[in-house]
Amino acid sequence: MPELIVENIHLKYGTAEVLGGASFSVEKGKIAALLGPSGSGKTTLLRTIAGLERACEGRIRVSGQEVLNCSAGLDLPAEKRGLGFVFQSYALWPNRTVFDNVAYGLRLRKVAETEIRRKVGAVCEVLGLGHLQQRFPAQLSGGQQQRVAIARSLAYDPAVLLLDEPLSNLDAKLRDEARAFLKELITREERAAVIVTHDQIEALAIADTIILLNGGVIAQEGSPEDLYNRPKTLFTADFIGNNVRISGKVVTAGDGFATLDCDGLRVTG
Ligand code: ADP
């Protein structure tokens, strides 16, 4: 069974429908990218999965456990959904050390201090932050800050990671490194991840599946190859730039082929 299953999510702000029935799933060790133009509902869908948007309809399962089932009145709060969340801005506490930033969620969950030390130490080691635990965020590079944000979301061992444009504050070189690191981590640790991005190159480079949103509805979902080689809608074709269109008059048709007369030029396809 997929680690994350999202079924038929609807959400309105006032009378405006922002999500119009989004459904998708993500297997262990895989990354799904929510891609689409600005305002297409990517962040709202991610926040809904996280449990940060309450006025929604639909069903969500994490690791086989139902965390949202509106018709049954089930709506677990964010901290009970088994998810890790990484924000665009990293949202680190500037006046707390790396250790205390990473420990933050565990302390909220009232985990014992010895267990916190063990977990924070282990996750900082995995992310190459072992020697930086007593530093403050301002004393770290952008890439290190990004890893602290990931460490904080991994500390309580979530099955599913939700990342909202986590790499957008990094320069190009760091972004490539961080992307490779993130992909390797998710595959190796067999977590499932959903990453929001408006950047096609990012989605192509990191995702196993791309979910392309248009006005709160999934226009197309598939592997990067599928989306780019076999766009199923005009919106997909336009979005990825594979939108050469030919118009003309059909002069012969049959066997799945048609010949068009385009101002005197014969085109068969
Ligand atoms: P994206 O992440 O794809 O840029 P968003 O999920 O941020 O899109 O926004 C989707 C739509 O919801 C947009 O039309 C946006 O204006 C609207 N929206 C987002 N947040 C709110 C809010 N708090 N109140 C009202 N409308 C909102």
Side-chain angles (χ1 to χ4, degrees), residues 87-165:
F87 297 94
Q88 182 175 10
S89 61
Y90 313 147
L92 301 179
W93 300 99
N95 55 349
R96 293 182 198 200
T97 62
V98 167
F99 180 92
D100 287 334
N101 264 284
V102 177
Y104 182 77
L106 296 169
R107 289 199 171 121
L108 269 188
R109 289 169 173 78
K110 309 233 181 301
V111 175
E113 204 57 31
T114 47
E115 182 64 4
I116 289 181
R117 272 199 292 280
R118 194 188 63 74
K119 286 195 157 153
V120 172
V123 81
C124 282
E125 243 6 274
V126 169
L127 285 145
L129 298 165
H131 59 301
L132 300 172
Q133 291 183 50
Q134 293 315 313
R135 296 250 187 113
F136 289 91
Q139 299 170 312
L140 302 176
S141 70
Q144 289 166 337
Q145 289 183 24
Q146 190 247 6
R147 280 185 277 144
V148 177
I150 295 174
R152 185 176 52 183
S153 72
L154 286 179
Y156 41 90
D157 206 22
V160 178
L161 270 186
L162 306 177
L163 306 113
D164 191 357
E165 306 250 11

Side-chain angles (χ1 to χ4, degrees), residues 11-14 16-19 34-47 53 164-165 196-198 213 215-216:
L11 184 137
K12 284 184 180 169
Y13 283 127
E17 188 165 68
V18 173
L19 297 174
L34 297 180
L35 179 69
S38 182
S40 57
K42 306 182 292 294
T43 295
T44 307
L45 181 53
L46 198 76
R47 288 175 53 82
E53 298 280 349
D164 191 357
E165 306 250 11
V196 162
T197 179
H198 65 274
L213 283 170

